[in-house]
Amino acid sequence: MSEPVVYTRETAVGLRNAIKQIVERTPVTDIHTHLYAPVFGPLLLRGIDEMLTYHYLVAEYFRYADTSYETFWAWPKTQQADAIWKTLFLDNSPISEACRGVLTALNLLGFDLASPDLAQIRREFARLDVEEHVKLVFDAANIKSAVMTNDPFDDVECPVWKAGYTPDSRFHAVLRIDPLLNDWEGNCHRLQDAGYNVYQRLTSRCIVEVRRFLDDWVKRMNALYMAVSLPPDFVMDDGSARACLIEEAVLPVAQANNIPFAMMIGVTRNVNPALKLAGDSLGTASLAPLEYLCATYPKNKFMVTYLARENQHAAAVTARKFRNLLLFGCWWFLNNPSLIEEMTRMRIELLGTSIIPQHSDARVLDQAVYKWAHSREIISRVLRHKYADLLETGWTITEDAIRRDVEKLLGGNFWSFLQREL
Ligand code: RAT
Ligand code: ZN
């Protein structure tokens, strides 16, 4: 038996490297992505052109370029990617987080960036078959498994599920229900088309059918949780179809299947429709609906992330009050080093290790590499400072304790909240 490695005030130098190594070497469960198992075919985006046309970069491109929106969208994807490369990487320094991310991903995937040749990069990506590519990225990002975002209304996705999906241990499903909750009137007919006896007025018979729909899909997908993104003005006491559906259909089905309901709160969709997917923005939300739900439904489990920086402190305080609430990730516009660091530090100060500090939200396979490289670096730094503070008190830290903490942060907390074994 080897001696346990113990760190004290005197040996603090070794601690830094130990934390870094443990954080890098601990495989992560990426709890919210827009990646898909290879069986979903074209839904799994990958390669340089997809990375360059990521909507985060499209928005940045229009900060500099005077191309009209119509012209840009009419271009084929490679032409869009060429324009973004030229504008954001060659004519300007690629120092925004989304640009830097492309470079980190390329670097860690083995490309030489000293004199980058876009055509050559394209050719090298084109050589990778999908299985090779998934393995390459999961190894480089040290991902154990990724959670997809699955839409039962998607015309490409739905037939794959219906044909009898063969589970892929690298990818888990989530039942995403934005259309149902955010526009019941506009989407009720889609349930009707699928054979559910629903109508616009949410009578108790109709609710039974919505529950049947949700339950069928949770089971078909073996969904780890149900999820929705919500606007900043989301409330539970407005008598809306959404509030009714959450209380009468989503929460009972979630409870019956022992799965959480995840709410991603604060997105204002389409503030600039000309930007398409890049046109969404954000707003500060009220914490009241979350407090109401956690308090009224103690047998339900809630996973929550807010999009506005202004909501982060209150959200962490709310998580102190309710053990059926698990905070996750630095979502979208918060996925920037300065904000990840601030949020992770603050969350750990208020909640210890009982959080999920990050998810990648990757839409393109290769992005997972940079999202995790950048976040791991920050999580290491914050932990280093927190453990150093402990050493100052005379407390000692073992490597096993660090490993335990990091495993919780990078997946353990998620799986124990779900009460599932990976
Ligand atoms: O982060 C993103 O890429 C957004 O476009 C959204 O997908 C968001 O994460 C969401 O899940 O709604
Ligand atoms: Zn997302």
Side-chain angles (χ1 to χ4, degrees):
M1 277 260 301
S2 59
E3 285 291 300
V5 183
V6 180
Y7 294 100
T8 63
R9 235 183 312 206
E10 288 66 41
T11 61
V13 236
L15 183 63
R16 177 198 188 113
N17 292 339
I19 296 168
K20 193 168 175 296
Q21 238 179 44
I22 290 171
V23 173
E24 274 167 11
R25 291 186 185 170
T26 303
V28 68
T29 300
D30 193 344
I31 74 119
H32 170 61
T33 75
H34 299 266
L35 304 179
Y36 293 84
V39 69
F40 289 98
L43 289 178
L44 174 59
L45 304 180
R46 58 198 183 96
I48 187 67
D49 289 333
E50 298 295 351
M51 267 203 284
L52 289 173
T53 54
Y54 185 29
H55 67 89
Y56 292 27
L57 290 177
V58 169
E60 290 173 30
Y61 167 77
F62 282 108
R63 304 280 315 146
Y64 299 95
D66 51 15
T67 321
S68 77
Y69 295 123
E70 295 71 22
T71 304
F72 178 83
W73 293 120
W75 286 339
K77 187 162 281 175
T78 43
Q79 193 173 349
Q80 294 174 354
D82 284 341
I84 290 176
W85 178 255
K86 179 172 182 318
T87 304
L88 294 183
F89 291 77
L90 305 181
D91 296 348
N92 295 282
S93 287
I95 53 177
S96 74
E97 175 64 4
C99 288
R100 172 190 169 222
V102 174
L103 301 181
T104 301
L106 291 175
N107 178 32
L108 294 177
L109 291 173
F111 291 92
D112 174 14
L113 296 178
S115 46
D117 173 354
L118 188 53
Q120 176 64 19
I121 295 174
R122 262 192 195 119
R123 279 194 295 278
E124 295 204 18
F125 272 113
R127 271 202 280 273
L128 291 171
D129 79 37
V130 66
E131 284 299 334
E132 254 177 334
H133 203 161
V134 170
K135 178 157 178 15
L136 185 72
V137 166
F138 275 41
D139 287 349
N142 198 7
I143 295 174
K144 182 152 53 180
S145 62
V147 180
M148 307 180 278
T149 295
N150 302 101
D151 177 357
F153 299 116
D154 184 274
D155 291 337
V156 179
E157 191 171 340
C158 186
V160 179
W161 292 110
K162 292 231 164 124
Y165 170 73
T166 318
D168 180 328
S169 61
R170 298 164 300 180
F171 295 91
H172 306 283
V174 153
L175 176 55
R176 180 78 177 242
I177 49 176
D178 288 31
L180 193 82
L181 294 186
N182 291 332
D183 184 13
W184 168 250
E185 287 73 20
N187 288 295
C188 161
H189 72 276
R190 294 164 88 171
L191 267 72
Q192 289 167 347
D193 297 346
Y196 296 87
N197 192 13
V198 294
Y199 19 93
Q200 302 238 338
R201 212 161 66 82
L202 288 168
T203 60
S204 48
R205 276 176 52 201
C206 178
I207 289 286
V208 169
E209 283 293 277
V210 178
R211 283 189 198 167
R212 187 166 72 84
F213 168 82
L214 294 172
D215 197 65
D216 285 349
W217 277 99
V218 165
K219 293 199 162 67
R220 179 174 287 132
M221 292 175 169
N222 188 18
L224 295 186
Y225 57 87
M226 281 187 270
V228 66
S229 72
L230 295 160
D233 60 3
F234 162 60
V235 286
M236 282 300 297
D237 56 1
D238 58 353
S240 62
R242 174 167 57 208
C244 171
L245 285 165
I246 290 176
E247 294 197 85
E248 302 296 330
V250 175
L251 295 184
V253 172
Q255 196 189 322
N257 287 279
N258 192 25
I259 59 173
F261 176 42
M263 291 179 287
M264 308 173 69
I265 306 172
V267 52
T268 317
R269 297 284 177 194
N270 266 323
V271 297
N272 182 357
L275 281 174
K276 301 195 177 179
L277 201 53
D280 300 339
S281 192
L282 84 175
T284 310
S286 158
L287 269 285
L290 180 61
E291 288 167 352
Y292 166 78
L293 287 169
C294 290
T296 315
Y297 300 98
K299 293 200 171 126
N300 274 100
K301 300 189 260 197
F302 298 93
M303 288 167 48
V304 169
T305 198
Y306 283 89
L307 196 48
R309 182 189 189 189
E310 292 78 358
N311 280 126
Q312 302 310 322
H313 179 247
V317 172
T318 308
R320 291 173 66 89
K321 309 298 147 194
F322 299 104
R323 61 178 168 179
N324 57 342
L325 169 58
L326 181 59
L327 289 187
F328 72 96
C330 305
W331 182 26
W332 199 343
F333 309 113
L334 295 165
N335 198 345
N336 295 309
S338 58
L339 299 172
I340 300 171
E341 177 148 357
E342 167 185 298
M343 283 171 65
T344 306
R345 205 174 278 282
M346 183 268 294
R347 283 169 166 177
I348 287 182
E349 285 162 7
L350 280 165
L351 296 160
T353 57
S354 70
I355 54 167
I356 300 176
Q358 190 58 302
H359 64 267
S360 78
D361 233 315
R363 278 183 176 267
V364 180
L365 181 59
D366 312 275
Q367 286 166 345
V369 175
Y370 92 74
K371 302 242 184 186
W372 283 111
H374 293 184
S375 287
R376 276 191 157 98
E377 188 185 319
I378 298 163
I379 293 167
S380 293
R381 184 158 59 240
V382 173
L383 286 178
R384 174 156 45 91
H385 294 162
K386 294 299 155 201
Y387 292 130
D389 291 345
L390 292 188
L391 295 186
E392 279 307 307
T393 68
W395 186 261
T396 57
I397 319 255
T398 63
E399 271 196 14
D400 283 347
I402 302 172
R403 210 166 283 117
R404 173 202 60 204
D405 294 349
V406 173
E407 276 167 9
K408 285 185 179 188
L409 292 170
L410 295 186
N413 288 335
F414 175 64
W415 292 105
S416 32
F417 193 65
L418 261 51
Q419 294 167 293
R420 289 205 194 198
E421 296 277 328
L422 176 55

